[in-house]
């Protein structure tokens, strides 16, 4: 049987899941997190990576840690 390898989740994948789980929508999440809507859209599209300041805001908005957001996409990262 052939082994199937799934792609590593990206920051965009994890962020989209967090937004959907809360039912806030992108604009609502931007307002609650204090992250500019355009920056949030850039992160979701994969055009921009998450820096320390953005990770801090994401952590506060989602009840996670800064470390979580800085590690998303690493090979050993696992969705909780």
């Amino acid at each position: 049987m052939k082994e199937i390898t799934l792609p590593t989740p990206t920051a965009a994948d994890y962020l989209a899941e967090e937004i959907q789980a809360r039912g806030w929508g992108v604009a609502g999440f931007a307002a609650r997190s204090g992250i500019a809507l355009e920056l949030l859209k850039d992160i979701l599209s994969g055009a921009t990576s998450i820096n320390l300041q953005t990770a801090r805001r994401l952590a506060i908005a989602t009840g996670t840690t800064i470390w979580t957001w800085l590690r998303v996409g690493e090979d050993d990262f696992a969705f909780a």
Side-chain angles (χ1 to χ4, degrees):
M1 180 181 225
K2 185 177 179 179
E3 185 175 325
I4 299 172
T5 304
L6 298 174
T8 302
T10 65
D13 297 330
Y14 190 63
L15 180 55
E17 185 176 292
E18 288 291 325
I19 292 170
Q20 183 179 13
R22 287 165 173 70
W24 291 342
V26 177
F29 189 85
R32 286 174 175 84
S33 65
I35 298 171
L37 181 58
E38 288 304 312
L39 175 57
L40 197 57
K41 288 180 180 179
D42 286 347
I43 293 169
L44 287 166
S45 72
T48 300
S49 59
I50 296 173
N51 64 23
L52 184 59
Q53 179 181 3
T54 303
R56 182 181 159 278
R57 290 177 186 263
L58 289 168
I60 292 168
T62 60
T64 58
T65 66
I66 293 171
W67 187 244
T68 297
W69 292 101
L70 294 176
R71 292 201 56 224
V72 169
E74 291 183 8
D75 289 337
D76 63 344
F77 181 82
F79 286 92

